[in-house]
Amino acid sequence: SARTRFPIVEEAIAIQPDHLSKCDSMCKGSKAPTFDAQCFETELKAARDATKPSQTEEDAHMAKIQLWTTALGISGFVLAVRGVISPLSMLLLGFYQYANFAIIAHHSLHGGWGRRRRGWFAQGSLRRRIIDWLDWIHPSAWIHEHNKIHHYRLNEDDDPDFVQRNTGLVRMFPTKPLRYILVGVNASVWKWAYYASNTLKMLRSDRAGAPQKEELEKPLMLMNLFWEVLCLSPWHISLAAELLFQVMGPVFVVNFLLFPGCAAVIGAGLYGYASVWPFFWTALVNSAGAELFNNVHGFNTIVTNHSGADLWHFKDACQADTAEFYLRAILGSTAYQAGNDFIDYFHGYLNYQGEHHAFPSLSPLHYQRLHPRFKSICAKHGVPYVQEPVWIRVIKTAQIIEGSATHRSMAGQASEQPHLWMKA
């Protein structure tokens, strides 16, 4: 019976018995391989509402995440000022930067910890940005590109983060080994070499002189931007100036000048050295190593979210906050191993992508609690919920970038074509 097979879903159904009991009986009575979109939508929303943490629980969980992240940053800094090249310092500082982006900034700017926090976090001034989230990506550009476009155009041609389209240049290279080398290079530099300029491009796409839609859909990497500057394109010159001086400049100054400078003064003072330069250069190397780790770990857990031959590309748009929208959130996303704060923190709480794209403004704790019910509802309705270890998803993403695999693709609405995707 449904009660025996899906106890978690039944608990969510009990919250809205009139609507969901009817929905459950309709699904039981259907013998044909059909998809009841209304049932699916209703049950997902009920599960979301049933798993909402209390405000006290939310505050305690956010405080724990902030404490862990701060501890990583302080520990990494202490190890970086000793005048030695420290791989552990690189790891700790890199993970501090990663967690501050993937967990704290990401969920804050989605409103996961409340609309009020979303309104002020990392916004309004350079001071606020330095305190909250100083990264190669400008917060306003992130909000526009990620929250407003990517989330509502997932794996469509209009999705600025659609990996298969954005990496077409890699597939132009002649040999497979070279293409895989380029995958590794991209993983090492993607945040500052691609994402910084591409997010700003989307934010400034409404300015006079901006390229046409077809050109805007192409990824704008740093090297492409400077080529356009050399071609004297006024829009690109303006964009490059803003990128260098307002977006990337402060990050470079803080991470690669002020940080090693402070480390040099502190280290030389603590260890009684007359010269500060050994401490400056070793801290600079440690900071560069942290940046490398931040990029690679971010690539592994972020770029892989919606890439792989088992995920779908959608040729047509859909309406937000509908059964179709929720269905695409799952068909176009992968999850990783999940279930407790240690595993989830390692993955940046990005191991709940189906849940996150269905309901973008929930907190990390809410996604964690929603996860088992969400999966059970997908299983009940035959919706394939993809969940694999992150290293497998890295391989599948590399295959997409290199060209040995491609996304499945469909036109029209997925909810009207369950024969294409429904899990037996």
Side-chain angles (χ1 to χ4, degrees):
S1 67
R3 185 174 299 277
T4 302
R5 292 176 59 197
F6 304 106
I8 296 175
V9 176
E10 288 277 314
E11 184 180 343
I13 287 174
I15 298 172
Q16 296 178 343
D18 292 340
H19 298 292
L20 293 178
S21 295
K22 181 193 292 186
C23 188
D24 197 39
S25 63
M26 287 171 62
C27 294
K28 285 184 200 175
S30 175
K31 296 181 180 180
T34 59
F35 176 66
D36 193 322
Q38 185 176 1
C39 290
F40 182 66
E41 177 182 352
T42 305
E43 291 179 16
L44 285 182
K45 288 180 177 178
R48 174 199 61 192
D49 297 341
T51 54
K52 180 176 173 60
S54 68
Q55 190 59 52
T56 301
E57 291 172 320
E58 291 282 31
D59 292 343
H61 194 254
M62 181 175 69
K64 179 166 69 172
I65 289 174
Q66 290 177 318
L67 177 63
W68 287 5
T69 305
T70 302
L72 287 172
I74 293 174
S75 302
F77 180 83
V78 170
L79 292 175
V81 303
R82 298 175 303 150
V84 297
I85 296 175
S86 170
L88 183 56
S89 172
M90 299 175 191
L91 176 68
L92 294 174
L93 287 173
F95 212 105
Y96 162 78
Q97 295 168 354
Y98 166 80
N100 206 36
F101 167 41
I103 307 175
I104 297 176
H106 181 205
H107 293 93
S108 293
L109 293 175
H110 267 299
W113 286 304
R115 292 184 179 181
R116 184 177 179 182
R117 181 181 176 88
R118 180 178 65 184
W120 58 258
F121 185 89
Q123 298 173 74
S125 67
L126 178 59
R127 172 181 169 273
R128 192 75 258 173
R129 187 179 163 207
I130 292 173
I131 292 172
D132 296 331
W133 176 43
L134 183 65
D135 207 328
W136 302 111
I137 311 149
H138 195 279
S140 297
W142 164 264
I143 291 170
H144 181 78
E145 189 267 1
H146 178 81
N147 294 11
K148 297 180 179 179
I149 305 178
H150 165 66
H151 264 268
Y152 295 93
R153 294 289 183 266
L154 177 63
N155 279 12
E156 298 175 16
D157 291 330
D158 287 342
D159 181 359
D161 295 338
F162 186 41
V163 173
Q164 182 171 281
R165 182 206 52 233
N166 288 351
T167 55
L169 180 62
V170 174
R171 294 186 289 278
M172 294 176 63
F173 284 80
T175 65
K176 180 173 286 192
L178 179 56
R179 294 194 293 270
Y180 273 115
I181 289 172
L182 290 174
V183 172
V185 172
N186 283 332
S188 303
V189 302
W190 70 280
K191 286 186 71 178
W192 59 266
Y194 153 72
Y195 212 31
S197 52
N198 210 57
T199 51
L200 189 65
K201 172 198 74 176
M202 300 306 297
L203 179 65
R204 302 307 183 201
S205 61
D206 59 348
R207 283 185 173 177
Q212 296 298 313
K213 182 177 182 296
E214 295 77 14
E215 191 66 25
L216 280 173
E217 287 180 352
K218 299 176 183 178
L220 182 65
M221 298 185 68
L222 203 57
M223 61 179 182
N224 303 127
L225 177 59
F226 282 116
W227 173 254
E228 293 293 344
V229 169
L230 292 176
C231 294
L232 303 180
S233 165
W235 184 84
H236 288 93
I237 291 173
S238 174
L239 191 76
E242 182 177 8
L243 180 69
L244 289 179
F245 295 109
Q246 296 184 36
V247 179
M248 300 181 71
V251 185
F252 180 83
V253 169
V254 170
N255 288 354
F256 300 107
L257 294 178
L258 291 182
F259 171 74
C262 290
V265 172
I266 294 171
L270 285 175
Y271 293 99
Y273 276 64
S275 174
V276 299
W277 288 110
F279 295 91
F280 180 91
W281 290 115
T282 53
L284 180 62
V285 172
N286 290 333
S287 185
E291 176 66 31
L292 176 63
F293 174 85
N294 180 19
N295 274 270
V296 172
H297 191 60
F299 179 92
N300 292 344
T301 58
I302 298 173
V303 177
T304 57
N305 290 164
H306 311 289
S307 186
D310 50 354
L311 304 181
W312 287 88
H313 162 239
F314 307 104
K315 295 181 179 179
D316 298 302
C318 75
Q319 186 176 349
D321 303 323
T322 61
E324 176 71 22
F325 182 79
Y326 302 148
L327 179 60
R328 290 188 182 199
I330 301 155
L331 297 180
S333 302
T334 185
Y336 314 128
Q337 292 165 311
N340 64 60
D341 282 332
F342 295 104
I343 294 173
D344 294 350
Y345 190 88
F346 174 81
H347 293 93
Y349 286 85
L350 301 172
N351 43 345
Y352 303 109
Q353 282 300 300
E355 295 89 335
H356 177 54
H357 272 260
F359 307 115
S361 60
L362 305 187
S363 70
L365 179 60
H366 199 164
Y367 290 126
Q368 191 180 80
R369 293 185 176 180
L370 172 61
H371 176 63
R373 302 186 182 203
F374 196 95
K375 281 185 67 177
S376 293
I377 293 169
C378 290
K380 175 179 179 178
H381 290 273
V383 178
Y385 186 98
V386 178
Q387 185 172 27
E388 294 179 320
V390 68
W391 64 269
I392 293 179
R393 299 313 307 184
V394 171
I395 293 172
K396 290 187 176 183
T397 298
Q399 290 170 340
I400 290 287
I401 296 173
E402 181 272 328
S404 57
T406 57
H407 280 274
R408 300 174 180 180
S409 187
M410 75 168 73
Q413 302 299 294
S415 56
E416 298 172 358
Q417 306 172 82
H419 61 281
L420 293 178
W421 51 261
M422 184 165 281
K423 187 177 180 181

